[in-house]
Amino acid sequence: MNYESAAELLKIMGHPTRLRILMHLKTENKCVKNIWESLSLPQANVSQHLILMKNKGILDSERKGSQICYFLNNENVLSILNYLDVSEPNASGAVQGSRDNVTGDGLDQA
């Protein structure tokens, strides 16, 4: 992978909605309906992000009856996702599962 390809991959992954989708797909394949319901986002919005990531080679899909299910198709993306430590906020807005040694900018303290 060259610098341009790496920068493009990080740019695509850098969108908060796409990152949330990727984190949901990190451990298992999910159908579009399951994704937008679990993220509480509009179906059209999620579908647009899924299509973009599929077109860029990050995701692939398969049809299961009337549903389309997506899965990660890029080992570099999986490596990055495994490195990240992000969690969904709970109802109060606090992030669950965050590390204790993280500064406000998301970087580990030395």
XYZ file of all heavy atoms in Angstrom:
856
model
N 0.848 -1.177 0.000
C 0.000 0.000 0.000
C 0.890 1.235 0.000
O 1.823 1.318 0.779
C -0.902 -0.022 1.243
C -1.805 1.187 1.361
S -2.917 1.199 2.779
C -4.081 -0.020 2.296
N 0.594 2.179 -0.881
C 1.375 3.411 -0.931
C 0.718 4.494 -0.069
O -0.367 4.295 0.476
C 1.564 3.880 -2.378
C 0.237 4.161 -3.068
O -0.714 4.630 -2.462
N 0.172 3.868 -4.358
N 1.374 5.639 0.047
C 0.870 6.716 0.894
C -0.492 7.224 0.445
O -1.359 7.510 1.259
C 1.865 7.882 0.943
C 3.109 7.571 1.727
C 4.340 7.508 1.097
C 3.053 7.346 3.094
C 5.488 7.224 1.810
C 4.193 7.063 3.815
C 5.411 7.003 3.174
O 6.549 6.720 3.888
N -0.688 7.331 -0.846
C -1.964 7.831 -1.369
C -3.105 6.878 -1.032
O -4.180 7.305 -0.618
C -1.891 8.068 -2.879
C -1.039 9.252 -3.285
C 0.463 8.962 -3.254
O 0.856 7.767 -3.264
O 1.241 9.929 -3.188
N -2.857 5.579 -1.190
C -3.874 4.573 -0.869
C -4.178 4.560 0.623
O -5.338 4.462 1.028
C -3.415 3.182 -1.295
O -3.237 3.118 -2.680
N -3.135 4.669 1.435
C -3.327 4.691 2.890
C -4.117 5.932 3.308
O -5.020 5.847 4.146
C -1.977 4.655 3.601
N -3.798 7.068 2.716
C -4.511 8.304 3.050
C -5.983 8.216 2.649
O -6.871 8.643 3.391
C -3.843 9.498 2.375
N -6.255 7.630 1.487
C -7.641 7.462 1.034
C -8.415 6.537 1.972
O -9.556 6.810 2.333
C -7.669 6.919 -0.397
C -9.058 6.718 -0.958
C -9.827 8.006 -1.192
O -9.224 9.091 -1.267
O -11.066 7.918 -1.299
N -7.777 5.450 2.385
C -8.416 4.517 3.313
C -8.736 5.199 4.636
O -9.851 5.083 5.154
C -7.502 3.312 3.546
C -8.004 2.257 4.521
C -9.237 1.557 3.956
C -6.909 1.253 4.819
N -7.794 5.939 5.174
C -8.016 6.640 6.441
C -9.078 7.720 6.304
O -9.865 7.951 7.229
C -6.702 7.234 6.954
C -5.666 6.205 7.390
C -4.339 6.889 7.667
C -6.150 5.415 8.588
N -9.126 8.377 5.159
C -10.145 9.399 4.911
C -11.542 8.773 4.941
O -12.459 9.314 5.559
C -9.887 10.066 3.559
C -10.875 11.131 3.189
C -10.509 11.713 1.831
C -11.592 12.639 1.324
N -11.301 13.138 -0.018
N -11.693 7.640 4.284
C -12.988 6.962 4.267
C -13.362 6.497 5.667
O -14.488 6.682 6.123
C -12.960 5.779 3.279
C -12.819 6.298 1.853
C -14.224 4.929 3.409
C -12.432 5.246 0.855
N -12.420 5.911 6.371
C -12.685 5.423 7.722
C -12.904 6.551 8.724
O -13.505 6.339 9.770
C -11.529 4.558 8.209
C -11.395 3.245 7.489
S -10.019 2.272 8.140
C -10.644 1.885 9.791
N -12.424 7.753 8.409
C -12.455 8.867 9.343
C -13.820 9.490 9.574
O -13.988 10.254 10.519
N -14.791 9.171 8.771
C -16.138 9.711 8.972
C -16.772 8.988 10.155
O -16.782 7.755 10.202
C -16.970 9.518 7.705
C -18.259 10.246 7.733
N -19.343 9.804 8.462
C -18.638 11.390 7.142
C -20.343 10.639 8.312
N -19.931 11.617 7.514
N -17.320 9.711 11.135
C -17.856 9.062 12.337
C -18.919 7.990 12.052
O -18.894 6.927 12.677
C -18.459 10.218 13.134
C -17.722 11.425 12.673
C -17.384 11.173 11.230
N -19.811 8.232 11.116
C -20.837 7.236 10.812
C -20.222 5.994 10.197
O -20.559 4.865 10.571
C -21.910 7.817 9.869
O -22.538 8.925 10.525
C -22.963 6.789 9.519
N -19.291 6.182 9.280
C -18.642 5.024 8.665
C -17.827 4.244 9.685
O -17.816 3.011 9.678
C -17.784 5.457 7.478
C -18.638 5.917 6.300
C -17.846 6.040 5.030
N -16.970 7.180 5.001
C -17.292 8.373 4.483
N -18.471 8.575 3.941
N -16.413 9.352 4.484
N -17.174 4.942 10.591
C -16.403 4.266 11.631
C -17.325 3.453 12.536
O -17.010 2.310 12.895
C -15.594 5.282 12.437
C -14.609 4.717 13.451
C -13.631 3.753 12.789
C -13.865 5.844 14.130
N -18.467 4.001 12.885
C -19.446 3.257 13.694
C -19.919 2.006 12.960
O -20.021 0.930 13.554
C -20.644 4.142 14.031
C -20.329 5.219 15.063
C -21.525 6.106 15.322
N -22.577 5.359 15.998
C -23.855 5.718 16.002
N -24.253 6.799 15.368
N -24.745 4.988 16.648
N -20.194 2.136 11.682
C -20.625 0.988 10.883
C -19.525 -0.074 10.861
O -19.785 -1.260 11.082
C -20.989 1.417 9.447
C -22.267 2.266 9.454
C -21.158 0.197 8.546
C -22.554 2.960 8.129
N -18.302 0.344 10.607
C -17.190 -0.595 10.552
C -16.987 -1.310 11.885
O -16.724 -2.524 11.905
C -15.908 0.119 10.131
C -15.872 0.603 8.679
C -14.685 1.524 8.449
C -15.852 -0.581 7.722
N -17.119 -0.590 12.983
C -16.965 -1.227 14.293
C -18.057 -2.279 14.506
O -17.802 -3.316 15.111
C -16.978 -0.183 15.414
C -15.745 0.724 15.412
S -14.160 -0.135 15.541
C -14.133 -0.505 17.286
N -19.264 -2.023 14.004
C -20.346 -3.004 14.120
C -20.090 -4.237 13.254
O -20.554 -5.322 13.566
C -21.690 -2.365 13.763
C -22.345 -1.694 14.918
N -21.921 -0.487 15.413
C -23.384 -2.083 15.696
C -22.678 -0.150 16.440
N -23.567 -1.105 16.633
N -19.363 -4.057 12.171
C -19.079 -5.174 11.263
C -17.759 -5.876 11.594
O -17.407 -6.854 10.953
C -19.033 -4.672 9.818
C -20.359 -4.179 9.254
C -20.146 -3.522 7.899
C -21.344 -5.337 9.143
N -17.057 -5.385 12.582
C -15.743 -5.916 12.919
C -15.795 -7.392 13.309
O -14.920 -8.163 12.939
C -15.143 -5.092 14.060
C -13.744 -5.473 14.459
C -13.207 -4.468 15.447
C -12.992 -5.133 16.771
N -12.336 -4.270 17.746
N -16.830 -7.793 14.009
C -16.870 -9.157 14.532
C -17.854 -10.076 13.824
O -17.765 -11.291 13.971
C -17.213 -9.153 16.032
O -18.443 -8.460 16.224
C -16.112 -8.482 16.830
N -18.795 -9.493 13.076
C -19.765 -10.350 12.395
C -20.411 -9.633 11.218
O -20.482 -8.415 11.183
C -20.842 -10.836 13.363
C -21.730 -9.723 13.916
C -22.794 -10.238 14.868
O -23.429 -11.263 14.560
O -22.976 -9.615 15.916
N -20.880 -10.423 10.260
C -21.629 -9.894 9.126
C -22.979 -9.407 9.622
O -23.561 -10.020 10.518
C -21.859 -10.976 8.081
C -20.578 -11.590 7.576
O -19.488 -11.188 7.954
N -20.712 -12.580 6.734
N -23.463 -8.322 9.037
C -24.778 -7.807 9.425
C -25.520 -7.329 8.197
O -24.929 -6.793 7.265
C -24.645 -6.660 10.421
C -24.134 -7.102 11.772
C -24.312 -6.034 12.801
C -23.831 -6.571 14.147
N -24.001 -5.602 15.200
N -26.829 -7.496 8.237
C -27.687 -7.007 7.170
C -27.975 -5.526 7.391
O -27.894 -5.024 8.515
C -28.977 -7.813 7.113
S -28.670 -9.543 6.656
N -28.324 -4.842 6.314
C -28.528 -3.392 6.365
C -29.504 -3.010 7.468
O -29.235 -2.093 8.252
C -29.023 -2.858 4.995
C -29.311 -1.379 5.073
C -27.996 -3.144 3.913
N -30.606 -3.710 7.560
C -31.613 -3.378 8.580
C -31.039 -3.474 9.987
O -31.282 -2.609 10.824
C -32.828 -4.283 8.439
C -33.929 -3.937 9.421
C -35.152 -4.803 9.225
C -36.226 -4.383 10.234
N -37.398 -5.228 10.151
N -30.255 -4.509 10.261
C -29.640 -4.667 11.578
C -28.682 -3.520 11.885
O -28.596 -3.064 13.024
C -28.888 -5.989 11.673
C -29.770 -7.179 11.446
O -29.680 -7.793 10.393
N -30.633 -7.499 12.388
N -27.976 -3.067 10.860
C -27.005 -1.990 11.057
C -27.714 -0.695 11.401
O -27.396 -0.049 12.404
C -26.109 -1.817 9.812
C -25.281 -3.084 9.569
C -25.193 -0.607 9.966
C -24.576 -3.127 8.229
N -28.691 -0.287 10.581
C -29.310 1.013 10.853
C -30.147 0.997 12.115
O -30.235 1.992 12.816
C -30.050 1.591 9.654
C -31.218 0.860 9.073
C -31.210 0.021 8.005
C -32.591 0.961 9.472
N -32.475 -0.423 7.727
C -33.342 0.136 8.613
C -33.249 1.652 10.477
C -34.715 -0.011 8.728
C -34.623 1.511 10.601
C -35.342 0.685 9.734
N -30.727 -0.146 12.447
C -31.478 -0.218 13.701
C -30.554 -0.129 14.910
O -30.847 0.582 15.868
C -32.300 -1.510 13.765
C -33.529 -1.481 12.902
C -34.328 -2.778 12.961
O -33.789 -3.813 13.412
O -35.500 -2.747 12.535
N -29.431 -0.837 14.872
C -28.517 -0.824 16.019
C -27.823 0.528 16.187
O -27.448 0.891 17.299
C -27.491 -1.945 15.912
O -26.644 -1.751 14.814
N -27.675 1.273 15.098
C -27.035 2.588 15.180
C -28.032 3.732 15.334
O -27.630 4.880 15.520
C -26.184 2.833 13.927
C -25.000 1.900 13.731
C -24.312 2.191 12.406
C -24.024 2.008 14.881
N -29.321 3.420 15.226
C -30.378 4.445 15.300
C -30.159 5.552 14.269
O -30.230 6.735 14.582
C -30.472 5.046 16.710
O -30.777 4.047 17.647
N -29.873 5.131 13.039
C -29.659 6.065 11.942
C -30.652 5.764 10.832
O -31.119 4.633 10.705
C -28.239 5.924 11.398
C -27.107 6.357 12.318
C -25.770 5.934 11.738
C -27.147 7.856 12.543
N -30.954 6.757 9.985
C -31.863 6.507 8.861
C -31.282 5.474 7.894
O -30.079 5.469 7.615
C -31.981 7.872 8.180
C -31.498 8.866 9.173
C -30.538 8.150 10.065
N -32.151 4.621 7.391
C -31.735 3.554 6.487
C -31.018 4.104 5.259
O -29.993 3.571 4.834
C -32.960 2.723 6.087
C -32.643 1.554 5.176
C -32.740 1.903 3.701
O -33.517 2.764 3.306
N -31.943 1.240 2.893
N -31.529 5.177 4.688
C -30.921 5.752 3.482
C -29.495 6.224 3.757
O -28.598 6.027 2.934
C -31.772 6.902 2.960
N -29.282 6.820 4.919
C -27.957 7.308 5.289
C -26.975 6.152 5.415
O -25.859 6.189 4.876
C -28.065 8.100 6.596
C -26.768 8.717 7.017
O -25.949 8.054 7.645
N -26.580 9.986 6.688
N -27.376 5.110 6.122
C -26.516 3.942 6.307
C -26.222 3.288 4.965
O -25.077 2.930 4.674
C -27.166 2.947 7.294
C -26.420 1.619 7.306
C -27.214 3.550 8.692
N -27.227 3.144 4.125
C -27.044 2.511 2.813
C -26.034 3.267 1.965
O -25.206 2.648 1.280
C -28.380 2.410 2.078
O -29.217 1.480 2.717
N -26.077 4.592 1.990
C -25.122 5.387 1.217
C -23.689 5.126 1.683
O -22.776 4.967 0.865
C -25.441 6.876 1.331
C -26.665 7.281 0.565
C -26.993 8.760 0.736
O -26.454 9.439 1.610
N -27.885 9.250 -0.093
N -23.489 5.082 2.995
C -22.150 4.821 3.527
C -21.686 3.404 3.184
O -20.522 3.192 2.841
C -22.123 5.041 5.044
C -22.201 6.473 5.446
N -21.190 7.378 5.195
C -23.175 7.174 6.075
C -21.529 8.568 5.662
N -22.735 8.463 6.196
N -22.591 2.435 3.274
C -22.243 1.055 2.948
C -21.823 0.920 1.484
O -20.826 0.270 1.166
C -23.416 0.122 3.252
C -23.735 -0.097 4.731
C -25.086 -0.782 4.883
C -22.634 -0.891 5.414
N -22.574 1.542 0.602
C -22.256 1.477 -0.832
C -20.903 2.113 -1.120
O -20.096 1.572 -1.869
C -23.379 2.125 -1.661
C -24.637 1.244 -1.592
C -22.957 2.354 -3.099
C -25.896 1.915 -2.116
N -20.633 3.266 -0.506
C -19.347 3.929 -0.708
C -18.210 3.026 -0.256
O -17.216 2.843 -0.980
C -19.300 5.257 0.057
C -17.960 5.972 -0.083
C -18.144 7.308 -0.764
C -17.306 6.133 1.260
N -18.346 2.409 0.928
C -17.274 1.556 1.437
C -17.134 0.279 0.609
O -16.027 -0.238 0.445
C -17.499 1.239 2.917
C -17.297 2.464 3.805
S -17.325 2.103 5.574
C -19.077 1.811 5.858
N -18.231 -0.210 0.053
C -18.150 -1.373 -0.828
C -17.415 -1.000 -2.117
O -16.551 -1.739 -2.595
C -19.535 -1.912 -1.146
C -19.486 -3.151 -2.019
C -20.856 -3.716 -2.302
C -20.718 -4.932 -3.211
N -22.006 -5.476 -3.607
N -17.752 0.162 -2.684
C -17.102 0.619 -3.915
C -15.602 0.851 -3.724
O -14.834 0.749 -4.681
C -17.774 1.877 -4.444
C -19.152 1.612 -4.989
O -19.508 0.477 -5.323
N -19.971 2.652 -5.070
N -15.186 1.172 -2.505
C -13.769 1.412 -2.210
C -13.035 0.143 -1.791
O -11.851 0.185 -1.463
C -13.632 2.478 -1.115
C -14.148 3.844 -1.515
C -13.308 4.449 -2.610
C -13.761 5.858 -2.940
N -12.933 6.474 -3.953
N -13.736 -1.013 -1.770
C -13.093 -2.272 -1.448
C -12.920 -2.557 0.033
O -12.192 -3.474 0.411
N -13.596 -1.786 0.876
C -13.509 -1.992 2.321
C -14.496 -3.067 2.759
O -14.210 -3.868 3.634
C -13.779 -0.669 3.066
C -12.634 0.313 2.784
C -13.955 -0.893 4.558
C -12.867 1.702 3.308
N -15.670 -3.064 2.153
C -16.727 -4.016 2.470
C -17.082 -4.830 1.237
O -16.816 -4.422 0.110
C -17.998 -3.288 2.935
C -17.912 -2.400 4.166
C -19.255 -1.735 4.421
C -17.463 -3.192 5.383
N -17.710 -5.951 1.491
C -18.342 -6.727 0.427
C -19.717 -7.103 0.945
O -20.021 -6.928 2.129
C -17.522 -7.957 0.071
C -17.752 -8.404 -1.363
O -18.710 -7.916 -1.993
O -16.990 -9.233 -1.843
N -20.563 -7.612 0.060
C -21.924 -7.934 0.480
C -22.373 -9.243 -0.139
O -21.788 -9.716 -1.119
C -22.889 -6.813 0.085
O -22.974 -6.704 -1.321
N -23.418 -9.791 0.453
C -24.070 -10.967 -0.100
C -25.561 -10.849 0.180
O -25.973 -10.292 1.183
C -23.500 -12.256 0.493
C -23.701 -12.412 1.982
C -23.034 -13.668 2.541
O -22.433 -14.421 1.757
O -23.121 -13.877 3.749
N -26.342 -11.360 -0.748
C -27.795 -11.322 -0.603
C -28.241 -12.555 0.168
O -27.829 -13.666 -0.112
C -28.470 -11.279 -1.960
C -29.982 -11.189 -1.878
C -30.615 -10.911 -3.204
N -30.363 -9.568 -3.693
C -31.012 -8.475 -3.284
N -31.926 -8.569 -2.364
N -30.732 -7.309 -3.816
N -29.093 -12.313 1.174
C -29.721 -13.393 1.933
C -31.223 -13.185 1.825
O -31.803 -12.386 2.565
C -29.277 -13.378 3.391
C -27.827 -13.753 3.587
C -27.471 -13.880 5.048
C -26.028 -14.314 5.203
N -25.647 -14.427 6.607
N -31.821 -13.849 0.876
C -33.251 -13.635 0.620
C -33.466 -12.237 0.095
O -32.874 -11.839 -0.904
N -34.280 -11.479 0.805
C -34.561 -10.110 0.376
C -33.612 -9.089 1.012
O -33.715 -7.900 0.747
C -36.006 -9.743 0.727
O -36.178 -9.771 2.136
N -32.692 -9.546 1.852
C -31.794 -8.634 2.551
C -30.385 -8.697 1.966
O -29.958 -9.720 1.439
C -31.740 -8.986 4.037
C -33.085 -8.826 4.732
C -32.928 -8.961 6.221
O -31.974 -8.463 6.804
N -33.869 -9.636 6.849
N -29.673 -7.593 2.122
C -28.266 -7.532 1.738
C -27.455 -7.418 3.020
O -27.700 -6.531 3.840
C -27.982 -6.349 0.795
C -28.783 -6.508 -0.489
C -26.491 -6.240 0.508
C -28.650 -5.370 -1.453
N -26.512 -8.334 3.184
C -25.663 -8.344 4.370
C -24.247 -7.956 3.972
O -23.762 -8.322 2.905
C -25.681 -9.719 5.014
S -27.325 -10.212 5.562
N -23.597 -7.201 4.842
C -22.257 -6.683 4.574
C -21.246 -7.295 5.523
O -21.575 -7.689 6.645
C -22.242 -5.152 4.718
C -22.890 -4.446 3.562
C -24.267 -4.257 3.521
C -22.131 -3.993 2.494
C -24.864 -3.619 2.445
C -22.719 -3.355 1.415
C -24.080 -3.173 1.403
O -24.664 -2.544 0.328
N -19.998 -7.353 5.046
C -18.903 -7.845 5.864
C -17.616 -7.148 5.448
O -17.488 -6.670 4.320
C -18.767 -9.371 5.758
C -18.612 -9.888 4.358
C -17.353 -10.111 3.817
C -19.730 -10.159 3.576
C -17.213 -10.604 2.525
C -19.596 -10.657 2.285
C -18.333 -10.876 1.764
N -16.666 -7.087 6.394
C -15.363 -6.484 6.112
C -14.629 -7.311 5.081
O -14.627 -8.535 5.143
C -14.525 -6.393 7.382
C -14.931 -5.322 8.387
C -14.120 -5.465 9.660
C -14.754 -3.942 7.794
N -13.979 -6.613 4.162
C -13.282 -7.273 3.067
C -11.855 -6.746 2.927
O -11.277 -6.821 1.871
C -14.070 -7.047 1.761
C -13.551 -7.876 0.626
O -13.126 -8.991 0.804
N -13.589 -7.305 -0.574
N -11.311 -6.176 3.997
C -10.019 -5.520 3.903
C -9.253 -5.743 5.205
O -9.660 -5.248 6.258
C -10.231 -4.031 3.626
C -8.967 -3.276 3.359
O -8.035 -3.329 4.155
N -8.934 -2.547 2.261
N -8.158 -6.485 5.140
C -7.368 -6.799 6.337
C -6.747 -5.548 6.965
O -6.581 -5.487 8.180
C -6.278 -7.823 6.006
C -6.824 -9.200 5.735
C -7.521 -9.821 6.938
O -7.045 -9.662 8.084
O -8.565 -10.472 6.728
N -6.394 -4.556 6.152
C -5.837 -3.319 6.702
C -6.857 -2.604 7.572
O -6.528 -2.077 8.638
C -5.372 -2.389 5.574
C -4.180 -2.946 4.833
O -3.291 -3.542 5.428
N -4.178 -2.768 3.523
N -8.104 -2.598 7.131
C -9.174 -1.969 7.915
C -9.362 -2.717 9.227
O -9.472 -2.106 10.289
C -10.490 -1.913 7.111
C -11.653 -1.468 7.982
C -10.345 -0.990 5.920
N -9.382 -4.024 9.170
C -9.542 -4.818 10.389
C -8.406 -4.552 11.368
O -8.640 -4.412 12.576
C -9.627 -6.306 10.052
C -9.906 -7.236 11.221
C -11.218 -6.869 11.926
C -9.948 -8.678 10.742
N -7.196 -4.431 10.879
C -6.054 -4.127 11.749
C -6.226 -2.777 12.436
O -5.959 -2.639 13.629
C -4.755 -4.121 10.946
O -4.480 -5.395 10.446
N -6.682 -1.780 11.687
C -6.904 -0.452 12.259
C -8.014 -0.502 13.291
O -7.899 0.062 14.387
C -7.218 0.576 11.148
C -5.986 0.778 10.272
C -7.694 1.896 11.742
C -6.260 1.525 8.973
N -9.116 -1.183 12.975
C -10.239 -1.290 13.910
C -9.830 -2.007 15.190
O -10.255 -1.617 16.287
C -11.414 -2.020 13.259
C -12.085 -1.313 12.092
C -13.152 -2.216 11.479
C -12.682 0.017 12.509
N -8.995 -3.030 15.066
C -8.531 -3.744 16.255
C -7.655 -2.864 17.134
O -7.609 -3.045 18.347
C -7.777 -5.020 15.859
C -8.715 -6.107 15.392
O -9.864 -6.180 15.803
N -8.221 -6.953 14.512
N -6.969 -1.926 16.525
C -6.119 -0.999 17.282
C -6.947 0.046 18.036
O -6.606 0.433 19.145
C -5.129 -0.306 16.343
C -4.282 0.708 17.044
C -3.206 0.319 17.840
C -4.554 2.062 16.929
C -2.437 1.244 18.499
C -3.779 3.003 17.585
C -2.722 2.593 18.367
O -1.958 3.513 19.023
N -8.043 0.484 17.420
C -8.863 1.529 18.018
C -9.589 1.025 19.254
O -9.968 -0.135 19.337
C -9.895 2.041 17.007
C -9.340 2.756 15.785
C -10.481 3.099 14.835
C -8.583 4.005 16.190
N -9.800 1.923 20.201
C -10.551 1.601 21.408
C -11.675 2.616 21.516
O -11.571 3.599 22.242
C -9.636 1.650 22.629
C -10.352 1.283 23.911
O -11.334 0.504 23.848
O -9.943 1.763 24.982
N -12.723 2.412 20.727
C -13.863 3.327 20.754
C -15.100 2.551 21.165
O -15.228 1.362 20.897
C -14.104 4.017 19.385
C -12.965 4.934 19.036
C -14.320 3.000 18.293
N -15.998 3.240 21.845
C -17.232 2.625 22.315
C -18.382 3.577 22.095
O -18.201 4.798 22.043
C -17.136 2.293 23.800
O -16.074 1.407 24.040
N -19.573 3.018 21.989
C -20.782 3.825 21.863
C -21.069 4.501 23.198
O -20.904 3.881 24.256
C -21.969 2.950 21.475
C -21.882 2.381 20.084
C -22.106 3.411 18.996
O -22.864 4.376 19.211
O -21.516 3.252 17.921
N -21.530 5.759 23.203
C -21.930 6.392 24.458
C -23.202 5.743 24.992
O -24.016 5.245 24.227
C -22.170 7.852 24.069
C -22.377 7.827 22.594
C -21.667 6.624 22.064
N -23.344 5.741 26.316
C -24.578 5.223 26.899
C -25.631 6.328 26.911
O -25.417 7.416 26.372
C -24.320 4.641 28.296
C -23.827 5.681 29.289
O -24.015 6.881 29.115
N -23.175 5.214 30.341
N -26.769 6.092 27.531
C -27.884 7.046 27.511
C -27.502 8.404 28.105
O -28.023 9.438 27.701
C -29.081 6.456 28.254
N -26.565 8.419 29.066
C -26.170 9.683 29.693
C -25.125 10.429 28.876
O -24.747 11.536 29.218
C -25.624 9.431 31.098
O -24.392 8.739 31.022
N -24.643 9.808 27.791
C -23.627 10.444 26.960
C -22.215 10.024 27.310
O -21.273 10.351 26.617
N -22.052 9.283 28.423
C -20.727 8.819 28.824
C -20.333 7.638 27.952
O -21.171 6.829 27.559
C -20.723 8.414 30.290
N -19.065 7.545 27.661
C -18.570 6.451 26.833
C -18.262 5.262 27.726
O -17.545 5.387 28.713
C -17.312 6.876 26.049
C -16.727 5.699 25.291
C -17.649 8.007 25.108
N -18.811 4.111 27.379
C -18.555 2.894 28.128
C -17.347 2.186 27.546
O -17.116 2.225 26.355
C -19.761 1.961 28.052
C -21.000 2.549 28.660
C -22.185 1.612 28.504
O -22.090 0.579 27.877
N -23.297 1.988 29.092
N -16.592 1.545 28.417
C -15.487 0.718 27.949
C -14.249 1.508 27.563
O -13.376 0.978 26.923
N -14.171 2.783 27.931
C -12.983 3.549 27.571
C -11.857 3.246 28.548
O -12.076 2.867 29.693
C -13.293 5.051 27.567
O -13.695 5.470 28.849
N -10.635 3.422 28.088
C -9.475 3.167 28.929
C -9.320 4.284 29.940
O -9.656 5.431 29.690
C -8.218 3.064 28.071
C -8.265 1.893 27.132
C -7.015 1.826 26.330
N -6.970 2.999 25.448
C -6.393 3.027 24.276
N -5.797 1.977 23.831
N -6.395 4.101 23.543
N -8.761 3.960 31.095
C -8.548 4.951 32.144
C -7.384 5.871 31.828
O -7.328 6.994 32.309
C -8.285 4.262 33.488
C -9.505 3.520 33.992
O -10.633 3.919 33.638
O -9.317 2.547 34.734
N -6.422 5.440 31.031
C -5.214 6.226 30.779
C -5.282 6.990 29.458
O -4.305 7.120 28.756
C -3.983 5.311 30.790
C -4.032 4.292 29.669
O -5.099 3.977 29.157
N -2.877 3.780 29.292
N -6.423 7.560 29.154
C -6.582 8.307 27.915
C -6.803 9.771 28.249
O -7.586 10.112 29.108
C -7.773 7.754 27.084
C -8.005 8.595 25.860
C -7.509 6.319 26.709
N -6.098 10.634 27.549
C -6.272 12.061 27.732
C -7.481 12.528 26.969
O -8.074 11.779 26.199
C -5.024 12.821 27.233
O -4.896 12.598 25.832
C -3.773 12.386 27.960
N -7.877 13.773 27.129
C -9.031 14.323 26.459
C -8.932 14.301 24.949
O -9.929 14.353 24.243
N -7.710 14.231 24.395
C -7.565 14.214 22.939
C -7.548 12.800 22.388
O -7.367 12.611 21.197
C -6.305 14.965 22.509
C -5.027 14.376 23.089
O -5.093 13.326 23.768
O -3.967 14.962 22.864
N -7.764 11.789 23.239
C -7.836 10.423 22.776
C -6.487 9.730 22.628
O -6.409 8.639 22.115
N -5.430 10.373 23.090
C -4.096 9.794 22.990
C -3.664 9.254 24.341
O -3.940 9.853 25.370
C -3.076 10.834 22.509
C -3.383 11.458 21.153
C -2.387 12.569 20.862
C -3.351 10.415 20.061
N -2.991 8.128 24.349
C -2.502 7.556 25.605
C -1.516 8.503 26.260
O -0.707 9.149 25.590
C -1.784 6.222 25.366
C -2.753 5.117 24.991
O -3.961 5.290 25.242
O -2.291 4.099 24.474
N -1.607 8.566 27.573
C -0.643 9.376 28.320
C 0.653 8.602 28.411
O 0.686 7.393 28.472
C -1.160 9.655 29.734
C -2.418 10.511 29.733
C -2.969 10.681 31.127
O -2.528 10.026 32.058
N -3.935 11.558 31.260
N 1.743 9.330 28.417
C 3.068 8.671 28.515
C 3.389 8.323 29.938
O 2.886 8.829 30.861
C 4.132 9.598 27.940
